[in-house]
Amino acid sequence: MHTHVFVDESRRSSYLLVAAFVETRQLPGVRTLMRRLRVAGERRLHFKSESDTVRKDVIGRLVDAGFRSRIYLGRGPSEAVRQRCLARLVVDLVEERVTRLVLDGRGPVEDRVDRRVITRSLRECGVPDDSILYEHLGSHGDPALWVPDAIAWCHGAGGEWRKRVAPLVEAVVDIGVVTRREQVR
């Protein structure tokens, strides 16, 4: 069975990188579900802009669908923390034999840095650079990217929202405090 991982981020008191795992056979259903959940006329579902009513409906549907996700979090300069979280995610994906990684695009410079981190991490794991196919897409590029966006927002909001999303989160990996000098240039 092939697994695709969709990744988005959230910045709050700590930096969160959320990875949502979707089996290949589930992709059409996930995309259809997410398209149906967006507000009429909207190009995408973006949790920070949605009403609480929409948020509750979306999270309820995601929990019912049985999604699985992991949250990687840390504190420090956002870019340095992201890089450390992404490197750790890649190690985990290699262990799970994930076939595809899709990240929410951030722009040409930032996406290039992500690619360097991914390539370096794959090499450090002793696997070929192409052992995991990876790409950056705009948030509207694949509705499956809206799943980690929803999970990231809820976990970051804490309280009731974190409780609602808890059934979707199989692990929270805290990488600790990261300094700027640990950042890939």
Side-chain angles (χ1 to χ4, degrees):
M1 195 173 320
H2 296 287
T3 303
H4 303 251
V5 174
F6 295 86
V7 174
D8 200 2
E9 67 184 358
S10 179
R11 294 179 190 114
R12 303 262 182 151
S13 59
S14 58
Y15 178 93
L16 305 173
L17 189 76
V18 176
F21 295 73
V22 181
E23 302 300 327
T24 300
R25 63 181 169 71
Q26 296 174 308
L27 273 173
V30 168
R31 290 173 175 143
T32 299
L33 171 66
M34 297 312 290
R35 281 188 198 103
R36 286 183 181 152
L37 291 173
R38 74 180 166 203
V39 176
E42 295 293 322
R43 190 172 181 195
R44 67 182 180 120
L45 183 69
H46 194 220
F47 241 58
K48 76 177 186 180
S49 305
E50 303 301 335
S51 69
D52 283 353
T53 303
V54 170
R55 289 176 182 142
K56 287 176 184 175
D57 183 40
V58 170
I59 293 304
R61 302 281 183 94
L62 294 179
V63 169
D64 290 346
F67 284 98
R68 151 175 107 94
S69 69
R70 285 191 198 143
I71 298 173
Y72 297 80
L73 64 89
R75 289 151 306 287
S78 291
E79 187 59 32
V81 175
R82 178 187 176 86
Q83 290 175 18
R84 172 97 64 83
C85 288
L86 183 56
R88 173 61 192 272
L89 169 63
V90 169
V91 170
D92 292 349
L93 298 183
V94 167
E95 288 176 7
E96 288 204 31
R97 297 189 171 142
V98 166
T99 53
R100 182 172 174 239
L101 172 62
V102 180
L103 301 109
D104 189 21
R106 301 181 301 146
V109 172
E110 294 86 354
D111 293 353
R112 191 172 328 120
V113 171
D114 282 353
R115 288 190 296 274
R116 275 190 242 143
V117 170
I118 293 166
T119 300
R120 184 186 69 213
S121 299
L122 290 169
R123 288 178 183 164
E124 287 174 359
C125 288
V127 297
D129 294 357
D130 62 353
S131 60
I132 297 176
L133 301 175
Y134 51 92
E135 63 183 318
H136 290 84
L137 296 176
S139 297
H140 59 279
D142 192 323
L145 277 169
W146 307 340
V147 175
D149 174 69
I151 295 167
W153 188 92
C154 289
H155 188 85
E160 172 194 343
W161 292 108
R162 188 172 291 172
K163 288 178 188 169
R164 286 179 182 275
V165 80
L168 302 170
V169 180
E170 70 178 20
V172 176
V173 179
D174 188 341
I175 61 153
V177 177
V178 181
T179 64
R180 189 173 308 282
R181 70 174 185 260
E182 296 176 67
Q183 187 171 309
V184 171
R185 306 244 180 239

